[in-house]
Amino acid sequence: MGIADIVEQALEMAEPSEEEKRLVSEASRRALSLSEELFRGTPGFRSVSLEGSAAKDTWIRGRAEIDVFIHFSPDTPRALLEESIVSAGSRVISGLGGESRLRYAEHPYVEGVVGGLIINVVGCYDAERGKWLSPVDRTPHHTRYVNAKLSAEQRGEVRLLKSFMAGVGVYGAEIQVEGFSGYLAELLIISHGGFLTLLEAARGWRPPIYIDIERQLERRAAAVLFPNSPLIVIDPIDAHRNVASAVSATRLSEFILASQMFLREPSLRFFHGYQRPSVGEVRAEGRELLLVAFRVEGYVPPDVLWGEIKRSARGIRRGLEGWGFRVYRHAAYEEDGYVAMIYELESLVLPETTLHIGPPVWLSNAYSFVKKHAESSDTVAGPWVRGERLYALKRRETREAAVALEAGIAAGRLSISRELLEPIRRGRIISGWSGVLEEMSRSEGARSFLRSFLSGRPPFLP
Amino acid sequence: MGIADIVEQALEMAEPSEEEKRLVSEASRRALSLSEELFRGTPGFRSVSLEGSAAKDTWIRGRAEIDVFIHFSPDTPRALLEESIVSAGSRVISGLGGESRLRYAEHPYVEGVVGGLIINVVGCYDAERGKWLSPVDRTPHHTRYVNAKLSAEQRGEVRLLKSFMAGVGVYGAEIQVEGFSGYLAELLIISHGGFLTLLEAARGWRPPIYIDIERQLERRAAAVLFPNSPLIVIDPIDAHRNVASAVSATRLSEFILASQMFLREPSLRFFHGYQRPSVGEVRAEGRELLLVAFRVEGYVPPDVLWGEIKRSARGIRRGLEGWGFRVYRHAAYEEDGYVAMIYELESLVLPETTLHIGPPVWLSNAYSFVKKHAESSDTVAGPWVRGERLYALKRRETREAAVALEAGIAAGRLSISRELLEPIRRGRIISGWSGVLEEMSRSEGARSFLRSFLSGRPPFLP
């Protein structure tokens, strides 16, 4: 199959059916009118609007969400707005026949599932550009901008791109993924015209990449504003915001690599919804695996929890590396408050000896290095001189990764996020592939995570 | 004991007895007059002279050598001079009642042992300064210079210094040692006045060190002439020669460290002839040792052989390091053509897997890295992306140092000196401490070498 056929088929896979479109449009209408009704009379209330991919006709098949925005006047106190959203928002969801859940990251909103569709009720201010009062105030502006810029055909291109991003594992701006948001995908189609023209550009990207559709900022000014971003996409409705700030270097690089691979060997396996043959050949035997498993009690917003998990997992990695272990890779898994951090090491047990590198002989502390190591009982050989420098061969105190980690956690010597310290202390350290295999057979999600960790390949590689 | 007492005792140990002095002086006289007699009439012959430490009264007890120099006129062909030395020189030794041996490095000479004393018969040209015709023509100038500069008392200081250098293991300019020559020791006493004043200076040395007694050269000019020398001592009779060119950074650093240690904790154990208690606590059990043992046939001048041994031992070390082994230290031993190179590793067996670090995704070879590793059967995990770069975890082909080394030697993939390649190929590789222990129990010399290697300490450390 040529690339045109692949893209055509992928577009068909991503395009919602007429039935799905009808359902979304109907559910949106009902959600908006019920919201209008239930919020009317609330202090500060002004209007309701549909936002997100449903409002832009850019969602991919089966992944519609209906984002109902409740607009308040800018003088409404924040606490009042939030209270109204929690109380009236819940009534909207139950009025539609769903069960509501309070969600928040920086800003609370109410979520519910009605007839298989996720409905979010979000409160925003009718803020002027640049006078944002809450983090979601830009959203209605984004919707207007995208709707004004995208042709009907380009909405299909957005679906293609989102499907591609989901298929190659880079879709989602949440901290767990550190990838591309839906709005970012839309802007990339606007800036590059279409799916294939974007991929043709992306195959040659060398980060940092700078995209400024409305030419609002000098490239050099942007580099100063966003110094550590591998991808900078200036928000057309706010020049001081990088729409791609969530995108990590790894995710961007995976997108670049996936673009290269797809253009060379186009295949449907790059797209969301493609049924991959199960990864059968992944082997755990003989792999040097270490697992830290623990439980987090109570609801923690996913972005908060994942921020803590990622920070702590990196802290543990640095600790292991500091003790001399070579860590090849690590990843984390979360399921209903159960967290597993997995590490693949060069070896779970370090050699018996370790080389201490001392000062050059002409430094004043050379003498004390010699005295210390000549007299201590854990010196295996030396101290000796090579070139200008002193060395000593020492017997290692702790050779096993699990033992070192246990002690490091107990002593609080690791850079673990404060909120996870106690859960991790109460948790377990599992050393060796067979124990890890057993632990991760606890659920289909855990098994699948372990399989993908062991294979170590992004999903778009065969 | 205070430092003055220690130095006084060390001086007594280093000073030859009156009996030894008498024997040396008598043997010198006999060697000179017999040489005069046997060389008379030889074409180009001019005169004989006594050189070396016997001529300067600076040898340390029990280590006298009598260097008889036969002077030729500068127009004597080199081949003729060498022939005369070989034939008439041998007759000098046999005439004195000894058995002669032909020795050479750059320049042939005849060596013999007569009444327990080593006698060397060396041929030189009566060359003017700067018009040297052979590498030993400077020697008579050195003798004159030293005799003119050293007071009677300072000759004792030279003996002290030579004894200290021998005791701490840095005495000898031969390639095996890479240390200080006798002439260099004499110049250091001349430049610094005495033994303790030299050590007081040396304790504060930070290489490179520059010493120019006769102020013949700008320091900057010397740095250009001798760019890699940690110690530069300009020859008073030849400004373009560094007397310390044989001194390695390691030997100089050991001398600096030994000076610091001796001044802080003066002891007779720093001097030649001190009976060290045997190093009883050295343990081989559990050490990761590798030995390459082979035999060199026929006489090879020690400096030539040791040059090849050191070069090849380093080549093998670099080979091991290139395959991923961590080499802590290595050393070599030679005894009558039997050579052993010993290596202490972090581990004789490498982990099962190794990380291959690929290109960043934006380099054109990223695609081929992905294809190659995605398809090869020795890929354990990956390829994956981290940051901008690609990685793959691979199964190691060869895990054992001995196996890797055997294959590397057979394939000629190591930087081994050409002359040792065949001997090493015919030799043996011994892996593991018990095999090494057994192999090195072949002689007292080998046992003592192994003990000192295992302890890994320079001899002046307790």
Side-chain angles (χ1 to χ4, degrees):
Chain A
M1 263 200 302
I3 193 161
D5 298 316
I6 297 284
V7 168
E8 199 186 308
Q9 258 188 269
L11 186 56
E12 254 172 57
M13 278 164 56
E15 189 79 24
S17 65
E18 287 309 311
E19 169 70 6
E20 184 178 344
K21 287 192 177 183
R22 202 184 46 75
L23 281 172
V24 168
S25 139
E26 220 158 78
S28 302
R29 212 161 336 119
R30 284 179 54 216
L32 284 173
S33 71
L34 185 57
S35 299
E36 175 87 50
E37 192 184 315
L38 290 177
F39 276 94
R40 199 178 298 138
T42 304
F45 170 75
R46 279 195 173 165
S47 64
V48 300
S49 69
L50 182 66
E51 307 294 340
S53 57
K56 293 176 279 191
D57 190 19
T58 55
W59 79 90
I60 58 178
R61 182 191 292 184
R63 291 183 69 164
E65 288 198 22
I66 293 164
D67 299 330
V68 176
F69 270 55
I70 315 296
H71 297 242
F72 289 82
S73 71
D75 56 5
T76 316
R78 178 82 173 250
L80 197 63
L81 181 153
E82 294 183 356
E83 259 171 52
S84 314
I85 287 297
V86 172
S87 62
S90 309
R91 277 183 287 134
V92 169
I93 299 296
S94 51
L96 292 167
E99 202 167 307
S100 66
R101 264 223 291 201
L102 180 63
R103 288 302 179 108
Y104 55 90
E106 289 172 83
H107 193 63
Y109 66 97
V110 175
E111 179 196 276
V113 179
V114 177
L117 286 170
I118 293 174
I119 297 182
N120 301 307
V121 182
V122 184
C124 73
Y125 288 103
D126 268 341
E128 282 174 58
R129 284 198 181 194
K131 297 191 170 169
W132 318 114
L133 294 168
S134 93
V136 298
D137 295 352
R138 290 181 194 85
T139 303
H141 297 264
H142 291 163
T143 307
R144 274 197 297 279
Y145 179 81
V146 169
N147 276 333
K149 290 283 181 175
L150 280 183
S151 68
E153 204 184 341
Q154 279 180 321
R155 290 170 210 256
E157 300 288 296
V158 169
R159 287 193 233 272
L160 259 177
L161 178 59
K162 287 182 176 178
S163 170
F164 181 82
M165 286 174 161
V168 304
V170 303
Y171 189 52
E174 57 270 33
I175 287 180
Q176 182 183 3
V177 179
E178 297 178 329
F180 296 71
S181 69
Y183 178 49
L184 177 53
E186 289 155 356
L187 291 184
L188 288 174
I189 291 300
I190 292 169
S191 65
H192 286 76
F195 173 67
L196 282 178
T197 46
L198 171 67
L199 262 56
E200 283 290 355
R203 85 186 306 177
W205 280 355
R206 176 176 173 170
I209 297 301
Y210 182 58
I211 293 167
D212 182 9
I213 302 171
E214 300 295 337
R215 295 170 191 278
Q216 300 172 89
L217 220 56
E218 286 278 333
R219 190 191 175 109
R220 255 176 301 173
V224 171
L225 270 174
F226 313 109
N228 298 314
S229 292
L231 177 60
I232 302 169
V233 179
I234 301 300
D235 192 341
I237 67 118
D238 184 347
H240 295 91
R241 188 173 166 262
N242 174 16
V243 179
S245 63
V247 179
S248 69
T250 301
R251 286 299 96 78
L252 175 60
S253 299
E254 284 174 346
F255 179 67
I256 293 170
L257 183 65
S259 299
Q260 294 167 2
M261 305 283 299
F262 177 76
L263 292 174
R264 277 174 185 261
E265 302 172 15
S267 157
L268 280 178
R269 72 162 196 275
F270 287 87
F271 293 94
H272 175 68
Y274 175 78
Q275 288 298 320
R276 250 168 278 279
S278 69
V279 201
E281 289 171 76
V282 166
R283 284 184 59 178
E285 285 83 351
R287 306 276 286 267
E288 304 280 309
L289 302 175
L290 189 72
L291 195 100
V292 180
F294 57 95
R295 181 160 280 290
V296 178
E297 303 296 342
Y299 174 75
V300 185
D303 261 15
V304 174
L305 180 57
W306 270 102
E308 292 164 357
I309 291 174
K310 290 203 159 191
R311 209 158 44 249
S312 305
R314 275 196 303 272
I316 289 173
R317 179 179 184 142
R318 277 198 303 274
L320 288 167
E321 289 171 340
W323 294 314
F325 294 92
R326 179 124 188 241
V327 181
Y328 289 144
R329 17 201 306 271
H330 80 277
Y333 173 73
E334 192 271 335
E335 178 186 354
D336 299 332
Y338 169 86
V339 180
M341 296 167 175
I342 189 166
Y343 299 85
E344 180 156 24
L345 276 63
E346 185 181 57
S347 176
L348 289 165
V349 182
L350 290 176
E352 211 168 298
T353 56
T354 177
L355 187 69
H356 276 222
I357 300 176
V361 295
W362 41 261
L363 265 193
S364 60
N365 55 340
Y367 180 78
S368 63
F369 182 89
V370 168
K371 291 303 277 183
K372 180 180 157 199
H373 293 293
E375 281 161 13
S376 89
S377 64
D378 61 352
T379 298
V380 176
W384 69 86
V385 178
R386 192 182 175 211
E388 294 190 357
R389 204 169 272 282
L390 283 159
Y391 298 85
L393 193 60
K394 308 290 288 183
R395 199 172 306 286
R396 248 181 236 280
E397 217 180 309
T398 308
R399 296 178 58 194
E400 285 168 43
V403 176
L405 194 52
E406 190 99 51
I409 289 168
R413 270 187 283 116
L414 291 167
S415 172
I416 286 175
S417 106
R418 181 202 297 271
E419 293 77 8
L420 296 190
L421 197 54
E422 269 317 306
I424 288 176
R425 277 190 180 151
R426 281 194 305 270
R428 280 166 313 129
I429 295 168
I430 296 155
S431 182
W433 63 269
S434 61
V436 169
L437 210 58
E438 196 190 320
E439 172 72 15
M440 294 308 275
S441 62
R442 64 198 317 277
S443 72
E444 182 41 42
R447 274 194 296 275
S448 149
F449 165 79
L450 181 62
R451 268 198 306 276
S452 128
F453 179 78
L454 289 174
S455 113
R457 291 187 188 179
F460 57 90
L461 287 184
Chain B
M1 264 199 304
I3 193 161
D5 299 315
I6 297 284
V7 167
E8 198 185 309
Q9 257 187 273
L11 185 57
E12 254 170 60
M13 279 163 56
E15 189 80 23
S17 65
E18 287 309 310
E19 169 71 3
E20 185 179 344
K21 287 192 179 182
R22 201 182 48 75
L23 280 172
V24 168
S25 139
E26 222 157 77
S28 303
R29 212 162 335 123
R30 284 178 55 216
L32 284 174
S33 72
L34 185 57
S35 300
E36 175 86 50
E37 193 186 313
L38 290 176
F39 276 93
R40 198 176 302 141
T42 304
F45 169 75
R46 279 194 174 168
S47 64
V48 300
S49 69
L50 182 67
E51 308 293 340
S53 58
K56 294 176 280 191
D57 190 21
T58 55
W59 80 89
I60 57 177
R61 183 190 292 183
R63 291 183 69 164
E65 288 197 23
I66 293 164
D67 299 330
V68 177
F69 271 53
I70 317 295
H71 298 242
F72 289 81
S73 71
D75 54 6
T76 315
R78 178 84 172 250
L80 197 65
L81 181 151
E82 294 184 356
E83 261 169 52
S84 313
I85 287 296
V86 172
S87 62
S90 308
R91 277 182 289 136
V92 170
I93 300 294
S94 52
L96 292 167
E99 203 168 309
S100 66
R101 262 221 294 199
L102 179 63
R103 288 302 180 105
Y104 56 90
E106 289 173 85
H107 191 63
Y109 66 97
V110 176
E111 179 196 275
V113 181
V114 178
L117 286 170
I118 293 173
I119 298 182
N120 302 306
V121 183
V122 183
C124 71
Y125 288 103
D126 269 341
E128 281 173 61
R129 282 196 183 197
K131 297 191 170 169
W132 316 114
L133 294 167
S134 92
V136 298
D137 297 352
R138 289 183 194 83
T139 304
H141 298 265
H142 291 163
T143 307
R144 274 197 298 277
Y145 179 81
V146 170
N147 276 333
K149 289 284 182 176
L150 281 183
S151 67
E153 203 185 341
Q154 278 178 321
R155 289 169 212 256
E157 299 289 294
V158 169
R159 287 191 234 272
L160 258 177
L161 178 58
K162 287 181 176 180
S163 170
F164 180 81
M165 286 174 162
V168 305
V170 304
Y171 189 51
E174 59 269 31
I175 288 179
Q176 180 181 4
V177 179
E178 296 179 329
F180 296 70
S181 68
Y183 179 48
L184 177 53
E186 289 156 356
L187 292 183
L188 289 174
I189 291 299
I190 292 170
S191 65
H192 286 77
F195 172 69
L196 281 178
T197 45
L198 172 67
L199 262 57
E200 283 290 354
R203 84 185 309 174
W205 281 354
R206 174 174 175 172
I209 296 302
Y210 182 59
I211 294 167
D212 181 8
I213 301 171
E214 301 296 336
R215 296 171 191 278
Q216 300 172 87
L217 221 57
E218 285 277 332
R219 190 191 174 109
R220 257 178 298 174
V224 171
L225 271 176
F226 314 108
N228 299 313
S229 291
L231 176 60
I232 301 170
V233 179
I234 300 301
D235 191 341
I237 66 118
D238 184 348
H240 294 90
R241 188 172 166 265
N242 174 15
V243 179
S245 63
V247 179
S248 69
T250 301
R251 285 300 97 76
L252 175 60
S253 298
E254 284 174 347
F255 179 67
I256 294 170
L257 183 65
S259 299
Q260 296 167 1
M261 305 284 299
F262 177 76
L263 292 173
R264 278 173 184 262
E265 302 173 16
S267 156
L268 281 179
R269 73 163 196 274
F270 287 86
F271 293 95
H272 175 69
Y274 176 79
Q275 287 299 321
R276 251 168 276 281
S278 67
V279 201
E281 288 169 78
V282 168
R283 284 185 58 179
E285 285 83 354
R287 307 278 285 268
E288 306 279 308
L289 303 175
L290 188 72
L291 194 98
V292 180
F294 57 95
R295 181 161 280 290
V296 178
E297 302 297 341
Y299 174 74
V300 185
D303 261 16
V304 174
L305 180 58
W306 270 102
E308 292 164 357
I309 292 174
K310 290 203 159 187
R311 208 157 45 248
S312 305
R314 276 197 302 270
I316 289 174
R317 179 179 183 142
R318 277 198 304 272
L320 288 166
E321 289 170 341
W323 294 314
F325 294 93
R326 177 123 190 243
V327 181
Y328 288 145
R329 21 204 300 273
H330 81 276
Y333 174 73
E334 192 271 337
E335 180 186 351
D336 299 331
Y338 169 86
V339 180
M341 296 166 174
I342 188 166
Y343 298 85
E344 181 155 26
L345 276 63
E346 186 181 57
S347 177
L348 288 165
V349 183
L350 291 176
E352 213 168 297
T353 56
T354 177
L355 186 69
H356 277 221
I357 301 175
V361 294
W362 41 263
L363 265 194
S364 60
N365 55 339
Y367 179 78
S368 62
F369 182 89
V370 168
K371 290 303 278 183
K372 180 181 157 199
H373 293 293
E375 281 161 15
S376 89
S377 64
D378 61 351
T379 298
V380 176
W384 69 87
V385 178
R386 191 180 176 212
E388 295 190 357
R389 203 170 273 280
L390 282 158
Y391 298 84
L393 193 59
K394 308 288 288 182
R395 199 171 307 286
R396 246 181 239 279
E397 217 181 309
T398 308
R399 298 179 57 195
E400 285 168 45
V403 176
L405 195 52
E406 190 100 49
I409 289 169
R413 268 187 283 116
L414 289 167
S415 171
I416 286 175
S417 103
R418 180 201 298 269
E419 293 77 9
L420 296 190
L421 197 54
E422 269 317 304
I424 288 175
R425 277 190 181 151
R426 282 195 302 269
R428 282 167 309 131
I429 296 169
I430 296 154
S431 183
W433 63 269
S434 61
V436 170
L437 210 58
E438 196 190 319
E439 172 71 15
M440 294 307 275
S441 63
R442 62 197 320 276
S443 72
E444 182 41 42
R447 275 194 295 275
S448 148
F449 165 79
L450 180 62
R451 268 199 306 275
S452 128
F453 179 77
L454 289 173
S455 111
R457 291 186 188 180
F460 57 90
L461 287 183

